[in-house]
Each structure stands twice: as structure tokens, then as C-alpha cells.
Amino acid sequence: MDDYGDELPAVSRQQINERFDKGSERMAAIERDLKAATQELYELKQQLADLLEFFTAMKGAFKVLNWVGKVAKPLAAIVMLGGACVGFWTAIKGGTSR
């Protein structure tokens, strides 16, 4: 021991160095795990962005299909009216063969 009482024995110094080494190894392991978790979160973020883009596109597609459906009903009625008129005209022109 020195006069001030702050000199550590050799065994204690060795134990402290071992604890520092173990702490450094533990910190390195934590940093590796953190880097891996950050990478996984980034990949998950990319997947969610792709999924959101898909749903946004599908929302637009359903709007277009809704518009097509709204146009198809009157268009079908017009086509049926035209077919009925052609059938009526054919019946008048051809007459009946009874």
C-alpha cells in the first residue's frame, strides 16, 4: 500500500481488467444485436411500404371498376334496346310464316 491508500493490489487490477474485457465483449455483442435488429426493422419498413403501395393501387383499381360498372348498366340497357329494335324490325320485314 502506498501513503495515500489508493494503490490497488495486483490481483484487484487483474480482476478489474477482466471485468473491463468482459464489458467490452458484452458491449460488442449488444452493438451486433442492435445492428441486426435495425436491419430487420429497415426490411420490415420496406415491405410495409410495398404493401401500402399495393393497397393504394388496388384502391384506384376499385374506383375504376366502379366507374366501369356505373357506365355498363346504361350501356347494357342501350344495347338491349337496340337488339329489341332490330328484332322488331326483322319481324316486321320478314313477316310471320304461319
PDB file of all heavy atoms in Angstrom, residues 1 7 11 13 19 21 26 30 33 35-36 47 50 54 71-72 76 82 91 93:
ATOM      1  N   MET A   1       0.826  -1.168   0.000  1.00  0.00           N
ATOM      2  CA  MET A   1       0.000   0.000   0.000  1.00  0.00           C
ATOM      3  C   MET A   1       0.882   1.247   0.000  1.00  0.00           C
ATOM      4  O   MET A   1       1.924   1.284   0.626  1.00  0.00           O
ATOM      5  CB  MET A   1      -0.794  -0.041   1.276  1.00  0.00           C
ATOM      6  CG  MET A   1      -2.254   0.160   1.399  1.00  0.00           C
ATOM      7  SD  MET A   1      -3.461   0.301   0.226  1.00  0.00           S
ATOM      8  CE  MET A   1      -4.476  -1.054   0.600  1.00  0.00           C
ATOM      9  N   GLU A   7      -3.520   2.783  -4.040  1.00  0.00           N
ATOM     10  CA  GLU A   7      -2.864   1.817  -4.909  1.00  0.00           C
ATOM     11  C   GLU A   7      -3.576   0.478  -4.757  1.00  0.00           C
ATOM     12  O   GLU A   7      -3.809   0.008  -3.648  1.00  0.00           O
ATOM     13  CB  GLU A   7      -1.395   1.662  -4.549  1.00  0.00           C
ATOM     14  CG  GLU A   7      -0.651   0.737  -5.499  1.00  0.00           C
ATOM     15  CD  GLU A   7       0.821   0.635  -5.144  1.00  0.00           C
ATOM     16  OE1 GLU A   7       1.328   1.496  -4.425  1.00  0.00           O
ATOM     17  OE2 GLU A   7       1.433  -0.335  -5.595  1.00  0.00           O
ATOM     18  N   VAL A  11      -3.786  -8.341  -7.860  1.00  0.00           N
ATOM     19  CA  VAL A  11      -4.929  -9.231  -8.098  1.00  0.00           C
ATOM     20  C   VAL A  11      -6.167  -8.402  -8.429  1.00  0.00           C
ATOM     21  O   VAL A  11      -6.910  -8.714  -9.349  1.00  0.00           O
ATOM     22  CB  VAL A  11      -5.166 -10.125  -6.858  1.00  0.00           C
ATOM     23  CG1 VAL A  11      -6.421 -10.952  -7.031  1.00  0.00           C
ATOM     24  CG2 VAL A  11      -3.969 -11.036  -6.611  1.00  0.00           C
ATOM     25  N   ARG A  13      -6.251  -5.394  -9.710  1.00  0.00           N
ATOM     26  CA  ARG A  13      -6.056  -4.805 -11.024  1.00  0.00           C
ATOM     27  C   ARG A  13      -6.381  -5.830 -12.113  1.00  0.00           C
ATOM     28  O   ARG A  13      -7.026  -5.490 -13.110  1.00  0.00           O
ATOM     29  CB  ARG A  13      -4.601  -4.340 -11.153  1.00  0.00           C
ATOM     30  CG  ARG A  13      -4.495  -2.961 -11.723  1.00  0.00           C
ATOM     31  CD  ARG A  13      -3.079  -2.509 -11.875  1.00  0.00           C
ATOM     32  NE  ARG A  13      -2.567  -2.035 -10.592  1.00  0.00           N
ATOM     33  CZ  ARG A  13      -1.343  -2.267 -10.138  1.00  0.00           C
ATOM     34  NH1 ARG A  13      -0.501  -2.952 -10.860  1.00  0.00           N
ATOM     35  NH2 ARG A  13      -0.957  -1.807  -8.977  1.00  0.00           N
ATOM     36  N   ARG A  19     -12.915  -7.641 -15.880  1.00  0.00           N
ATOM     37  CA  ARG A  19     -14.271  -7.096 -15.941  1.00  0.00           C
ATOM     38  C   ARG A  19     -14.414  -6.115 -17.101  1.00  0.00           C
ATOM     39  O   ARG A  19     -15.436  -6.097 -17.800  1.00  0.00           O
ATOM     40  CB  ARG A  19     -14.622  -6.402 -14.627  1.00  0.00           C
ATOM     41  CG  ARG A  19     -14.891  -7.388 -13.492  1.00  0.00           C
ATOM     42  CD  ARG A  19     -15.376  -6.706 -12.253  1.00  0.00           C
ATOM     43  NE  ARG A  19     -16.682  -6.116 -12.490  1.00  0.00           N
ATOM     44  CZ  ARG A  19     -17.249  -5.245 -11.671  1.00  0.00           C
ATOM     45  NH1 ARG A  19     -16.626  -4.836 -10.587  1.00  0.00           N
ATOM     46  NH2 ARG A  19     -18.442  -4.751 -11.945  1.00  0.00           N
ATOM     47  N   ASP A  21     -12.702  -6.226 -19.892  1.00  0.00           N
ATOM     48  CA  ASP A  21     -12.702  -7.041 -21.108  1.00  0.00           C
ATOM     49  C   ASP A  21     -14.076  -7.677 -21.329  1.00  0.00           C
ATOM     50  O   ASP A  21     -14.608  -7.685 -22.448  1.00  0.00           O
ATOM     51  CB  ASP A  21     -11.618  -8.113 -21.038  1.00  0.00           C
ATOM     52  CG  ASP A  21     -10.212  -7.531 -21.120  1.00  0.00           C
ATOM     53  OD1 ASP A  21     -10.086  -6.370 -21.566  1.00  0.00           O
ATOM     54  OD2 ASP A  21      -9.255  -8.230 -20.719  1.00  0.00           O
ATOM     55  N   ARG A  26     -19.308  -7.743 -24.042  1.00  0.00           N
ATOM     56  CA  ARG A  26     -20.763  -7.625 -23.921  1.00  0.00           C
ATOM     57  C   ARG A  26     -21.266  -6.441 -24.758  1.00  0.00           C
ATOM     58  O   ARG A  26     -22.278  -6.540 -25.443  1.00  0.00           O
ATOM     59  CB  ARG A  26     -21.130  -7.430 -22.454  1.00  0.00           C
ATOM     60  CG  ARG A  26     -22.607  -7.373 -22.202  1.00  0.00           C
ATOM     61  CD  ARG A  26     -22.887  -7.407 -20.690  1.00  0.00           C
ATOM     62  NE  ARG A  26     -24.294  -7.256 -20.473  1.00  0.00           N
ATOM     63  CZ  ARG A  26     -24.877  -6.193 -19.934  1.00  0.00           C
ATOM     64  NH1 ARG A  26     -24.139  -5.177 -19.525  1.00  0.00           N
ATOM     65  NH2 ARG A  26     -26.169  -6.128 -19.788  1.00  0.00           N
ATOM     66  N   ILE A  30     -23.909  -6.463 -27.873  1.00  0.00           N
ATOM     67  CA  ILE A  30     -25.103  -5.613 -27.895  1.00  0.00           C
ATOM     68  C   ILE A  30     -25.138  -4.792 -29.181  1.00  0.00           C
ATOM     69  O   ILE A  30     -26.196  -4.648 -29.823  1.00  0.00           O
ATOM     70  CB  ILE A  30     -25.140  -4.700 -26.649  1.00  0.00           C
ATOM     71  CG1 ILE A  30     -25.415  -5.537 -25.402  1.00  0.00           C
ATOM     72  CG2 ILE A  30     -26.184  -3.609 -26.796  1.00  0.00           C
ATOM     73  CD1 ILE A  30     -25.259  -4.768 -24.101  1.00  0.00           C
ATOM     74  N   ASP A  33     -26.202  -7.067 -32.032  1.00  0.00           N
ATOM     75  CA  ASP A  33     -27.636  -7.337 -31.972  1.00  0.00           C
ATOM     76  C   ASP A  33     -28.445  -6.120 -32.397  1.00  0.00           C
ATOM     77  O   ASP A  33     -29.452  -6.241 -33.094  1.00  0.00           O
ATOM     78  CB  ASP A  33     -28.040  -7.756 -30.548  1.00  0.00           C
ATOM     79  CG  ASP A  33     -27.498  -9.121 -30.162  1.00  0.00           C
ATOM     80  OD1 ASP A  33     -27.056  -9.867 -31.073  1.00  0.00           O
ATOM     81  OD2 ASP A  33     -27.510  -9.440 -28.950  1.00  0.00           O
ATOM     82  N   LYS A  35     -27.475  -3.750 -34.449  1.00  0.00           N
ATOM     83  CA  LYS A  35     -27.325  -3.584 -35.904  1.00  0.00           C
ATOM     84  C   LYS A  35     -28.238  -4.564 -36.651  1.00  0.00           C
ATOM     85  O   LYS A  35     -28.896  -4.195 -37.624  1.00  0.00           O
ATOM     86  CB  LYS A  35     -25.873  -3.809 -36.308  1.00  0.00           C
ATOM     87  CG  LYS A  35     -25.607  -3.519 -37.772  1.00  0.00           C
ATOM     88  CD  LYS A  35     -24.156  -3.741 -38.125  1.00  0.00           C
ATOM     89  CE  LYS A  35     -23.445  -2.422 -37.989  1.00  0.00           C
ATOM     90  NZ  LYS A  35     -22.074  -2.467 -38.495  1.00  0.00           N
ATOM     91  N   ALA A  36     -28.320  -5.813 -36.154  1.00  0.00           N
ATOM     92  CA  ALA A  36     -29.191  -6.807 -36.789  1.00  0.00           C
ATOM     93  C   ALA A  36     -30.659  -6.401 -36.650  1.00  0.00           C
ATOM     94  O   ALA A  36     -31.442  -6.512 -37.609  1.00  0.00           O
ATOM     95  CB  ALA A  36     -28.959  -8.183 -36.180  1.00  0.00           C
ATOM     96  N   GLN A  47     -41.015  -3.611 -46.683  1.00  0.00           N
ATOM     97  CA  GLN A  47     -42.129  -4.494 -47.012  1.00  0.00           C
ATOM     98  C   GLN A  47     -43.461  -3.791 -46.770  1.00  0.00           C
ATOM     99  O   GLN A  47     -44.394  -3.922 -47.570  1.00  0.00           O
ATOM    100  CB  GLN A  47     -42.043  -5.780 -46.195  1.00  0.00           C
ATOM    101  CG  GLN A  47     -40.891  -6.674 -46.592  1.00  0.00           C
ATOM    102  CD  GLN A  47     -40.729  -7.856 -45.656  1.00  0.00           C
ATOM    103  OE1 GLN A  47     -41.427  -7.981 -44.669  1.00  0.00           O
ATOM    104  NE2 GLN A  47     -39.782  -8.726 -45.979  1.00  0.00           N
ATOM    105  N   ASP A  50     -44.123  -1.347 -49.543  1.00  0.00           N
ATOM    106  CA  ASP A  50     -44.588  -2.039 -50.746  1.00  0.00           C
ATOM    107  C   ASP A  50     -46.056  -2.449 -50.602  1.00  0.00           C
ATOM    108  O   ASP A  50     -46.841  -2.332 -51.551  1.00  0.00           O
ATOM    109  CB  ASP A  50     -43.730  -3.269 -51.024  1.00  0.00           C
ATOM    110  CG  ASP A  50     -42.318  -2.920 -51.432  1.00  0.00           C
ATOM    111  OD1 ASP A  50     -42.080  -1.752 -51.824  1.00  0.00           O
ATOM    112  OD2 ASP A  50     -41.436  -3.813 -51.361  1.00  0.00           O
ATOM    113  N   PHE A  54     -49.272  -1.261 -52.820  1.00  0.00           N
ATOM    114  CA  PHE A  54     -50.188  -2.211 -53.446  1.00  0.00           C
ATOM    115  C   PHE A  54     -51.637  -1.873 -53.101  1.00  0.00           C
ATOM    116  O   PHE A  54     -52.507  -1.843 -53.975  1.00  0.00           O
ATOM    117  CB  PHE A  54     -49.841  -3.635 -52.990  1.00  0.00           C
ATOM    118  CG  PHE A  54     -50.848  -4.665 -53.408  1.00  0.00           C
ATOM    119  CD1 PHE A  54     -50.891  -5.111 -54.717  1.00  0.00           C
ATOM    120  CD2 PHE A  54     -51.753  -5.187 -52.498  1.00  0.00           C
ATOM    121  CE1 PHE A  54     -51.827  -6.052 -55.114  1.00  0.00           C
ATOM    122  CE2 PHE A  54     -52.682  -6.126 -52.880  1.00  0.00           C
ATOM    123  CZ  PHE A  54     -52.722  -6.567 -54.190  1.00  0.00           C
ATOM    124  N   VAL A  71     -71.047   2.788 -65.816  1.00  0.00           N
ATOM    125  CA  VAL A  71     -71.245   3.006 -67.256  1.00  0.00           C
ATOM    126  C   VAL A  71     -71.852   1.769 -67.897  1.00  0.00           C
ATOM    127  O   VAL A  71     -72.642   1.876 -68.846  1.00  0.00           O
ATOM    128  CB  VAL A  71     -69.894   3.373 -67.924  1.00  0.00           C
ATOM    129  CG1 VAL A  71     -70.004   3.349 -69.434  1.00  0.00           C
ATOM    130  CG2 VAL A  71     -69.418   4.725 -67.440  1.00  0.00           C
ATOM    131  N   ALA A  72     -71.553   0.591 -67.398  1.00  0.00           N
ATOM    132  CA  ALA A  72     -72.002  -0.652 -68.026  1.00  0.00           C
ATOM    133  C   ALA A  72     -73.513  -0.833 -67.929  1.00  0.00           C
ATOM    134  O   ALA A  72     -74.134  -1.362 -68.859  1.00  0.00           O
ATOM    135  CB  ALA A  72     -71.290  -1.845 -67.395  1.00  0.00           C
ATOM    136  N   ALA A  76     -75.610  -1.417 -71.203  1.00  0.00           N
ATOM    137  CA  ALA A  76     -76.301  -2.698 -71.419  1.00  0.00           C
ATOM    138  C   ALA A  76     -77.759  -2.459 -71.781  1.00  0.00           C
ATOM    139  O   ALA A  76     -78.309  -3.149 -72.658  1.00  0.00           O
ATOM    140  CB  ALA A  76     -76.182  -3.572 -70.177  1.00  0.00           C
ATOM    141  N   GLY A  82     -81.398  -1.680 -78.486  1.00  0.00           N
ATOM    142  CA  GLY A  82     -81.025  -1.827 -79.900  1.00  0.00           C
ATOM    143  C   GLY A  82     -81.339  -3.227 -80.418  1.00  0.00           C
ATOM    144  O   GLY A  82     -81.852  -3.391 -81.530  1.00  0.00           O
ATOM    145  N   ALA A  91     -88.827  -8.757 -87.535  1.00  0.00           N
ATOM    146  CA  ALA A  91     -90.144  -9.387 -87.518  1.00  0.00           C
ATOM    147  C   ALA A  91     -91.100  -8.683 -88.443  1.00  0.00           C
ATOM    148  O   ALA A  91     -91.917  -9.329 -89.138  1.00  0.00           O
ATOM    149  CB  ALA A  91     -90.689  -9.383 -86.079  1.00  0.00           C
ATOM    150  N   LYS A  93     -90.230  -6.818 -91.170  1.00  0.00           N
ATOM    151  CA  LYS A  93     -89.753  -7.012 -92.545  1.00  0.00           C
ATOM    152  C   LYS A  93     -90.022  -8.426 -93.032  1.00  0.00           C
ATOM    153  O   LYS A  93     -90.439  -8.601 -94.183  1.00  0.00           O
ATOM    154  CB  LYS A  93     -88.246  -6.773 -92.622  1.00  0.00           C
ATOM    155  CG  LYS A  93     -87.773  -5.392 -92.842  1.00  0.00           C
ATOM    156  CD  LYS A  93     -88.155  -4.883 -94.173  1.00  0.00           C
ATOM    157  CE  LYS A  93     -86.919  -4.425 -94.888  1.00  0.00           C
ATOM    158  NZ  LYS A  93     -87.196  -3.773 -96.084  1.00  0.00           N
TER     159      LYS A  93
END
